[in-house]
Amino acid sequence: MTDLAHRAERPFAAPVGRWEGLRSRARRFRELAAVALRSPTTVIGLVLILALVTMAICAPLIMEPNFPDPYQMPRDWTQINAPPGTPGHPLGTTGEGGDVLYGIVWGARTSLKLAFIVVALTVVIGVIIGSVAGFLGGKVDEVLMRVVDVFLAVPELILALAIAALLGPSFTNIIIAITVLGWCRYARIIRAQIIHTKQNEYVDAARVIGDSRLRIYVKDILPNSITPVVVAATLQMGAVVIFAATLSFLGLAEAGLAEWGNLVSEGQSGVVSGRWWVATFAGLMVFLWSLGFNLFGDGLRDVLDPRSEGR
C-alpha cells in the first residue's frame, strides 16, 4: 500500500502537501464552526464565555488593581456591609469592607487562570498516562488503571479537602488539589479511545508499510482519539470553577482573595439578615461561568461526536 493510500484511509490525516493539508483543516474547521453556531444554546454559551473571558482579560481596565497584590480585594473599613448603589461601591461591600465589584471582576480573572491551569495540567497528565496504558496494554495497562481506580474510589471533595488542608489555605494549593484528582477521567477516556482506534484498518496498514510505533501513535491513533478529551476539557472548564469555589467557600483560600467562592463564603452570614448582595452576585457569576461552558461543551460534543446526537 502506498503512503498516499495510507493517508487516504486516516480520518483525520492531512492530505499530501503541506498547504493542501492546511487548507483542508481550515475548511473542516469552518464547516464544524458553521454547524455548531446553528444551535441557539451553543451560541448562548459562547456569548457567555466570551463576555466573562473579556471581563477577566480587561480586569485592570475595569477596576484599578489593588497594589501590591491585585488579587487581594481592597478594604474600606468606613463602608462595612454597604448595600449596592453606595458611592464608590456599585455592588456594595462585604462584612470586612471588601468591594464586591472588585471581587467579581478580578474573580473572573482568578477563575480563568484557575480553569486554564487545572484543565491544561489534568489533560496533559491524563492523556500521557491513558495513552501509555491503552497503547502498550498488558501489565502496564493493568497497573496504571488500578492506580486510576484508587483515585476514583475516594470521593473527590473529601480527597481535595484533605490535600488542600494538608498543604494549607492558598489558591496554589487549591490548583494542586484539583489537579491531583482531575487527570483520572482523562486517562480513562483516552485509554478507551486508543484501544478502540488501534483496531482500525488504517493502523494495521501503517504497521504493514513499516511505520514506527511512535509515528503510528502520533499520526494515526492520537488524532483520532482526542475528540472526547476536547469535549470533556471544555465541560471541565466550568466544573473546575465550581469545585474551586466550593473549596474557597470552605475556607481553603487566602482570606480576602478576589475569588467568587471566597465572596460567597464572606457573604453567607449576611443572607439571613438581609445583606444578600455579596453571596448573590458572586453565586450568579459562578452559575453563569458554569452555564456558559456547559452549553458550549454540549454543542461541541454534538458537532465532534455525531454518535451523541439524540441522546
Side-chain angles (χ1 to χ4, degrees):
M1 180 180 293
T2 65
D3 187 61
L4 177 61
H6 175 209
R7 287 178 177 271
E9 292 184 4
R10 303 184 204 170
F12 286 93
V16 176
R18 178 177 298 178
W19 295 113
E20 184 180 351
L22 290 174
R23 286 195 295 270
S24 176
R25 291 190 184 97
R27 184 167 57 252
R28 178 60 176 161
F29 177 79
R30 288 195 298 269
E31 291 172 356
L32 292 175
V35 173
L37 294 177
R38 290 174 192 163
S39 168
T41 55
T42 305
V43 173
I44 292 172
L46 184 59
V47 170
L48 284 173
I49 292 171
L50 290 177
L52 292 171
V53 169
T54 300
M55 181 171 68
I57 294 173
C58 298
L61 302 177
I62 300 172
M63 297 295 298
E64 183 179 353
N66 178 34
F67 294 106
D69 185 359
Y71 290 98
Q72 282 288 319
M73 286 189 296
R75 303 290 182 179
D76 183 356
W77 297 105
T78 65
Q79 296 284 357
I80 294 177
N81 288 322
T86 300
H89 305 287
L91 298 184
T93 63
T94 68
E96 297 181 356
D99 184 62
V100 175
L101 179 59
Y102 188 97
I104 293 295
V105 173
W106 281 88
R109 200 177 181 93
T110 305
S111 296
L112 183 66
K113 177 181 175 182
L114 169 86
F116 274 113
I117 291 175
V118 169
V119 171
L121 289 175
T122 53
V123 167
V124 170
I125 296 170
V127 167
I128 290 174
I129 293 177
S131 295
V132 171
F135 191 62
L136 297 182
K139 292 184 178 179
V140 174
D141 182 25
E142 285 293 326
V143 171
L144 291 177
M145 286 303 102
R146 296 299 75 78
V147 173
V148 170
D149 289 341
V150 168
F151 277 93
L152 293 176
V154 182
E156 287 189 351
L157 183 58
I158 294 177
L159 184 56
L161 282 171
I163 295 171
L166 179 65
L167 297 176
S170 116
F171 179 71
T172 301
N173 293 339
I174 287 178
I175 291 177
I176 294 173
I178 300 176
T179 301
V180 168
L181 299 171
W183 64 269
C184 302
R185 62 172 57 89
Y186 294 113
R188 279 201 158 185
I189 291 172
I190 196 69
R191 170 187 175 270
Q193 288 296 118
I194 285 177
I195 290 175
H196 173 75
T197 302
K198 70 180 185 180
Q199 297 173 359
N200 289 320
E201 292 182 358
Y202 56 84
V203 176
D204 295 332
R207 294 194 185 100
V208 169
I209 65 174
D211 281 357
S212 67
R213 298 184 74 179
L214 180 60
R215 178 179 172 83
I216 291 172
Y217 170 76
V218 173
K219 297 292 185 180
D220 294 289
I221 294 180
L222 184 60
N224 295 294
S225 305
I226 203 68
T227 296
V229 173
V230 174
V231 174
T234 304
L235 293 172
Q236 195 193 15
M237 288 287 290
V240 73
V241 170
I242 294 179
F243 202 81
T246 302
L247 296 179
S248 297
F249 176 79
L250 295 174
L252 295 177
E254 304 101 314
L257 178 68
E259 196 273 333
W260 296 333
N262 219 20
L263 275 176
V264 174
S265 179
E266 287 194 32
Q268 62 172 325
S269 60
V271 173
V272 293
S273 57
R275 298 189 297 274
W276 52 269
W277 50 89
V278 181
T280 300
F281 289 134
L284 178 63
M285 298 307 296
V286 175
F287 168 74
L288 292 176
W289 180 279
S290 177
L291 179 65
F293 278 102
N294 282 336
L295 292 177
F296 182 71
D298 284 340
L300 195 63
R301 180 180 57 195
D302 293 340
V303 172
L304 296 179
D305 185 7
R307 292 172 299 179
S308 68
E309 292 180 0
R311 286 182 185 176

